[in-house]
């Protein structure tokens, strides 16, 4: 906008309108690109948010039905890692990762297992099996974190094991924890909505300007 003075309210308004119109004309070639870009961002964010919302809903419903059992989806338990007890070298499980564990009939030495506390089902740990033994009718596992110097003090019963680790997505857990928070939920739903509103607003402005030209 030119740095010139205008005298009188009407003159200033007219000058401002001319500047807006000039800017609109300059940006018109980019109008379609901007709308497509904004729409693509909105769709992408929505596609990311919807599965997470569905996943959280399913886990919450299943967890509420049996509070003494870790909720799973088709036998698979997702978990966000909160410590570095398994971080030992490259490509190892790290705090902030999301891991997946699947139920199995038995577990052997060397398997990385996800198991719950003896007192709290939702207090989960992921460690490696060091030793297996049976006492009576119960199978026990001696576990140890790869980054720890000594094995865990308390043996894990077969009934406590949720599943065997088979996959991880690095740092996805941090994003999931954020999206589960009130602020994360608001942003994951609010930003796509605002983008769709903005695209619609740009479209309305374009239609209004075209109508004015036809009227003139």
């Amino acid at each position: 906008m030119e740095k010139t003075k205008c005298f009188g309210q009407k003159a200033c308004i007219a000058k401002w309108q001319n500047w807006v119109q000039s800017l609109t004309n300059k940006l018109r070639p980019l109008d379609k690109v901007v709308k497509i870009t904004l729409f693509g961002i909105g769709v992408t964010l929505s596609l990311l948010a919807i599965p997470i919302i569905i996943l959280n809903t399913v886990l919450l419903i299943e967890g509420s039905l049996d509070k003494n059992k870790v909720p799973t989806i088709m036998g698979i338990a997702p978990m966000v890692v909160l410590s570095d007890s398994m971080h030992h070298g490259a490509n190892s499980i790290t705090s902030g990762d999301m891991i997946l564990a699947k139920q199995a009939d038995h577990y052997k030495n060397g398997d990385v297992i996800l198991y719950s506390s003896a007192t709290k089902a939702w207090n989960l740990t992921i460690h490696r099996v060091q030793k297996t033994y049976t006492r009576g009718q119960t199978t026990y596992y001696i576990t140890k974190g790869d980054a720890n110097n000594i094995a865990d003090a308390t043996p894990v019963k077969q009934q406590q094991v949720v599943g065997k680790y088979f996959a991880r997505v690095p740092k996805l857990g941090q994003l999931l924890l954020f999206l589960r928070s009130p602020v994360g939920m608001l942003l994951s739903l609010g930003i796509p909505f605002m983008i769709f509103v903005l695209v619609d607003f740009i479209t309305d402005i374009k239609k209004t300007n075209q109508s004015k030209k036809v009227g003139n």
Side-chain angles (χ1 to χ4, degrees):
M1 185 175 182
E2 297 180 357
K3 295 183 178 179
T4 57
K5 293 183 179 180
C6 57
F7 301 93
Q9 183 178 4
K10 291 184 178 181
C12 288
I13 293 175
K15 191 175 185 64
W16 173 258
Q17 289 177 337
N18 290 335
W19 178 80
V20 171
Q21 186 61 45
S22 175
L23 181 62
T24 301
N25 292 336
K26 291 179 181 179
L27 295 177
R28 184 169 287 114
L30 300 175
D31 180 61
K32 187 175 182 179
V33 175
V34 171
K35 287 195 295 184
I36 292 175
T37 302
L38 289 175
F39 185 78
I41 293 173
V43 170
T44 302
L45 291 175
S46 298
L47 292 176
L48 289 174
I50 291 173
I52 293 173
I53 293 173
I54 294 174
L55 176 64
N56 286 341
T57 302
V58 172
L59 293 176
L60 286 172
I61 292 174
E62 187 172 339
S64 64
L65 295 175
D66 188 353
K67 295 183 179 180
N68 295 319
K69 182 182 177 182
V70 177
T72 60
I73 299 176
M74 299 178 65
I76 297 175
M79 188 194 78
V80 177
V81 181
L82 300 178
S83 75
D84 283 328
S85 64
M86 288 295 291
H87 180 59
H88 186 68
N91 299 320
S92 58
I93 299 172
T94 307
S95 175
D97 292 350
M98 187 190 78
I99 65 99
L100 300 175
K102 186 174 179 60
Q103 296 171 347
D105 294 331
H106 62 277
Y107 308 92
K108 63 183 185 299
N109 294 349
D111 287 346
V112 176
I113 60 173
L114 176 66
Y115 59 90
S116 60
S117 165
T119 56
K120 296 181 180 180
W122 287 69
N123 187 4
L124 300 173
T125 303
I126 181 167
H127 278 175
R128 191 180 300 277
V129 176
Q130 297 290 306
K131 183 180 179 181
T132 304
Y133 67 92
T134 302
R135 182 177 295 170
Q137 300 296 320
T138 305
T139 300
Y140 293 86
Y141 303 100
I142 302 297
T143 56
K144 174 180 172 295
D146 289 352
N148 296 342
N149 295 323
I150 59 175
D152 301 328
T154 305
V156 178
K157 294 181 180 181
Q158 172 82 34
Q159 297 89 327
Q160 294 174 236
V161 181
V162 177
K164 177 182 176 181
Y165 158 80
F166 70 91
R168 76 181 180 102
V169 183
K171 300 306 177 184
L172 179 61
Q174 292 180 340
L175 175 62
L176 294 177
L177 288 177
F178 172 72
L179 292 178
R180 285 183 179 182
S181 68
V183 175
M185 292 290 287
L186 180 63
L187 290 177
S188 63
L189 295 175
I191 291 178
F193 175 76
M194 292 301 297
I195 289 176
F196 290 138
V197 170
L198 181 59
V199 170
D200 188 59
F201 178 71
I202 293 174
T203 303
D204 287 343
I205 291 178
K206 184 176 180 180
K207 289 181 179 179
T208 301
N209 290 335
Q210 289 177 344
S211 297
K212 287 182 179 179
K213 288 183 178 181
V214 173
N216 293 334

